[in-house]
Each structure stands twice: as structure tokens, then as C-alpha cells.
Amino acid sequence: ALLWSNTIGYSQSLVSTEPRNRTIVLEEFTGLNCGYCPDGHRIANGIKDKYNGEPILINVHVGSFANPGAGQPDYRTAFGTELDAQAKVTGYPSATVNRHFFLQYGTTLALNRGYWEATAAEIAAMPSPVNVGLRSTFDKDTRKLTVDVEAFYTADEPFENTINVVLTESDVIGYQSDYT
């Protein structure tokens, strides 16, 4: 006789169940022809170093300084243009920190590079109501990326939450204007 048994188990394998503070996500709006953007990159990398590599840095090439000239690569995306509009960027480089609105620093989500360190410290000190972990695998033959995301709520969350998975490239080497 063949017996079937269905067992469903739930456990957290990708994420901690212990309360943690928020992870800093700095989305920097930049462009290859932006002369002050290398200073923005220096500040962003300093924040990542200060918090032991935990902050997530995302560079979004957008705006007039991202328009490529002859022979320059084009790193612009439609998604980046939408983020730029959402943040109401008025100058480059600018950044959002966790897409959090900091009333003391202006009337938009976009922050001048002079505010990034203070706002990153503020975010890093905030408790997170949810821990998120992920694991990804890539099959180079089929070019298929599979991402498993796991969330664990450590506190009540009054807002509806959504998950955004962002794929970034690293070690892209390219020219950038630098006024310094």
C-alpha cells in the first residue's frame, strides 16, 4: 500500500527573527557628465564603510548630466527616470535615503549630498518592523535569474508593504566628469 503524507513546514532560513534596525538604502541620482557626482560617490562610499558594508548603494543615471555624448555609454533607464520624477530631483548629485521624507531637509525626497550622512545615521537608528532576506541563483545557459525573498515581521506594521527586487551591476568602469 502506498501512503501519502503532506506536511507543510514554515521556518525562517533567509532572515533573522530578531528585531533589527533598518538597513540604509541610498539611491544616488547621478550621470557620467556630472562634475560634482564623484564627490557624491565618495560620500556614499564613506557611509557604506562607516556601517561595515551594510548600506545598499544604488546609482541611478538620469537627468541632463546622464545624456551621453558621442562615444559615451548610455546608462539611463525608464525606471530611473520614474524614480527621478518621484523624488523631485532638482540638482545632481541628489539621493534618497530609504525613500524617507526628512522634513528638516527640504520639501522633496531628494537630498543634497550634504545631508546624506545625517539622514543615513537617522535611518540606521530606526527600528525595522520587518526583516527581509534573499537568495538568488543565476543560470547562465538559460539566462534565468531566480530570487527567493523572505520577510519576517518583528513588530506591527500599519502600512501596506511591497517588495521591490533591484538588480544592479558592479565594477562598471566608465568616464565621469570631476570638478575636483
Side-chain angles (χ1 to χ4, degrees), residues 5-52:
S5 173
N6 290 333
T7 304
I8 298 175
Y10 296 95
S11 67
Q12 302 304 130
S13 62
L14 301 177
V15 67
S16 171
T17 58
E18 298 298 318
R20 294 191 48 168
N21 284 353
R22 295 177 188 215
T23 298
I24 299 162
V25 179
L26 190 141
E27 293 172 301
E28 182 181 351
F29 300 96
T30 184
L32 67 162
N33 297 306
C34 172
Y36 292 110
C37 288
D39 188 51
H41 306 328
R42 180 191 58 77
I43 293 167
N45 286 320
I47 292 167
K48 188 165 187 158
D49 291 344
K50 181 178 180 177
Y51 294 95
N52 301 316

Side-chain angles (χ1 to χ4, degrees), residues 135-139 144-148:
R135 174 181 49 235
S136 63
T137 56
F138 178 71
D139 183 324
K144 181 178 179 181
L145 173 67
T146 303
V147 180
D148 296 314

